Amino acid sequence: MRDVYVIGAHTIKFGKYIEKSIKDLAAQTVISCLKEAHLEKKDIQALWFANSGWGYSKGQDCIRAQVALRPIGIDAIPMTNVENACAGGSTAFHHAWLGIAGGLYDITMAVGAEKLYDNNKMKVFAGFLSGLDIENLSSIIANISFYGMSEQDKKDMQAHVAKYAALAKKNAAIKRKKKGVGSRFSDLLDMFKVYLRLSDAVGSETVRKMRKLFSGDHSPFMDVYGFAARQHMKKYGSTIEQLALIASKNHFHSSLNPNAQYTFTITPEEVLADRMVSWPLTRSMCAPIGDGAASAVLCDQATVKKLGLSSQAVKIRASVLGSGRERSFDDTDIGERLSKIAYEKSGLGPGDMDFAEVHDASAFGELHQAEALGFCGEGEGGRLAESGATRLGGKIPVNVSGGLESRGHPVGASGLAQIHELVTQLCGKAGKRQVEGAKIAIAENGGGALGQEEAAMCIHILEGPSK
């Protein structure tokens, strides 16, 4: 296997781009990334394109890379379309790495582009169902009580809501506007459209049972995260206050990141007072819906020297792609399993990592992955965050980009946005959010859910250029 390097990485600012298409977002990141790598479009020998929702939202079920990139003059070369839920971008990156490591190509590219935001919010949340076993949806609904709250959980949530009622009311008065009759009618029409489409796919009876999964602005995944958080709290004594610290920390990090969807700060108290999504997760602890695109150019060592780009060539020390397995809730999960493989392949360990980007679709996701990646012992993720170790300037900064919670989570682009953050930091170009002395970094990106863990996951370990 040959050594592989990243010589260009780019992300657009994540957010809401109602008037732009996937073609527009992809073009923006590809053109900028090629410029960063000092290459022309004709230099790319193979490309992998990640996207999850274009088919559901606009009907572009097939040939997405070819459709998205031909308008900017990228054609003829091998292009592979990648769909791996939230792990799509990092999966595209893995295969771009594999193409060079295996000697098939000298220069490859990975691109991820996604448009999640839609005026029909029900349509967006319904689209997330494809990250589950859709044919087994009836069984999943029947077993959803497994993730439900106990009577004590309900009492704890009610006590929490009451404690922060005054601050929550104040914030709601500032941020929320009452919907008019027209808006409410529009919402009902949107719901009906989604009902017809889902009924055709899974049956009307299943859709009726499914309505509980879509109460409020959350997907079924948040119920799973909420359940996992509650189990962790009961077993190890972690707290909702620790989760609030993680969310507040990530909002602070994203305030330093011009490419983040959210660039405002929020205090732990404001996080705790925010609307409850799935106990103990409040809205500020959960990743938002948004649009975005990101990309990376990879090459072999000989090409780095030929192009004279040694000063910006970031070495890929490990690239691991794996799938979830059938297991009990308490058994070793996919993050711990794959990170051990990545550490072994790189010849490094958790203590060698200078910072990390992890898949924090919720604040608990970050807490859990800090444990799975070996930054602390099992059950110690909350205390690690509480100590300040995961904050910029701490021992092991986590999600200095703002993470999914605050940088944003346009599914197919998220994994490549992580790669962009690692490359930017390792090249010393992160500005106010620069991790001092950053040399080695790790990224973890999971996607979908089957049973007790993610359906797919990638772990990448990168090393900065030699000074």
Side-chain angles (χ1 to χ4, degrees), residues 84 86-87 90-91 94 320-324 333-339 359 368-369 372-373 443-448 453-460:
N84 226 0
C86 306
S90 56
T91 300
H94 171 77
V320 176
L321 167 64
S323 297
D333 84 341
I334 185 173
E336 184 176 351
R337 179 164 53 89
L338 295 186
S339 63
H359 192 94
H368 170 69
Q369 294 304 335
L373 297 180
E444 173 274 326
N445 181 215
E453 63 185 16
E454 294 87 345
M457 183 177 286
C458 284
I459 305 282
H460 289 100

Side-chain angles (χ1 to χ4, degrees), residues 68-142:
L69 300 177
R70 182 175 289 187
I72 60 172
I74 295 181
D75 54 17
I77 64 172
M79 284 189 268
T80 303
N81 292 287
V82 176
E83 199 299 296
N84 226 0
C86 306
S90 56
T91 300
F93 185 81
H94 171 77
H95 284 282
W97 164 82
L98 192 61
I100 293 173
L104 290 175
Y105 310 107
D106 296 327
I107 302 174
T108 61
M109 190 170 199
V111 181
E114 202 78 68
K115 279 182 61 65
L116 288 183
Y117 189 78
D118 193 284
N119 289 324
N120 185 344
K121 193 173 292 186
M122 286 298 299
K123 178 180 177 183
V124 175
F125 289 123
F128 291 151
L129 290 174
S130 61
L132 304 169
D133 181 354
I134 196 75
E135 290 187 356
N136 198 33
L137 202 55
S138 293
S139 177
I140 293 172
I141 294 170

Side-chain angles (χ1 to χ4, degrees), residues 297-443:
V297 173
L298 295 72
C299 70
D300 66 316
Q301 189 173 30
T303 301
V304 170
K305 293 180 178 178
K306 179 181 176 181
L307 295 173
L309 297 178
S310 297
S311 63
Q312 69 183 59
V314 173
K315 186 176 183 179
I316 302 173
R317 293 289 297 266
S319 179
V320 176
L321 167 64
S323 297
R325 59 190 175 88
E326 192 68 37
R327 66 172 180 85
S328 67
F329 192 82
D330 294 324
D331 199 1
T332 301
D333 84 341
I334 185 173
E336 184 176 351
R337 179 164 53 89
L338 295 186
S339 63
K340 287 180 178 178
I341 296 172
Y343 289 138
E344 182 179 352
K345 287 182 177 293
S346 67
L348 300 166
D352 297 308
M353 302 299 112
D354 293 315
F355 68 99
E357 287 285 311
V358 305
H359 192 94
D360 61 326
S362 74
F364 178 75
E366 177 176 314
L367 184 155
H368 170 69
Q369 294 304 335
E371 297 176 2
L373 297 180
F375 300 148
C376 61
E378 185 177 352
E380 298 175 0
R383 292 191 290 277
L384 181 73
E386 202 169 34
S387 73
T390 60
R391 192 179 179 90
L392 184 62
K395 181 180 179 182
I396 176 67
V398 177
N399 288 333
V400 187
S401 68
L404 278 60
E405 292 170 70
S406 202
R407 183 197 67 231
H409 183 30
V411 173
S414 292
L416 280 161
Q418 289 183 332
I419 295 297
H420 171 264
E421 183 67 19
L422 264 59
V423 170
T424 301
Q425 291 279 355
L426 293 171
C427 289
K429 297 180 180 179
K432 293 181 180 179
R433 69 181 190 282
Q434 180 66 46
V435 175
E436 186 177 354
K439 183 64 178 176
I440 304 286
I442 188 170

Side-chain angles (χ1 to χ4, degrees), residues 148-161 230-231 233-234 276 279-280:
M149 293 191 292
S150 67
E151 289 304 314
Q152 186 59 52
D153 291 332
K154 293 176 183 177
K155 289 179 181 178
D156 292 342
M157 181 179 71
Q158 290 166 359
H160 173 87
V161 172
R230 294 194 297 274
Q231 295 301 106
M233 292 164 74
K234 293 170 185 175
M276 192 62 62
W279 173 253

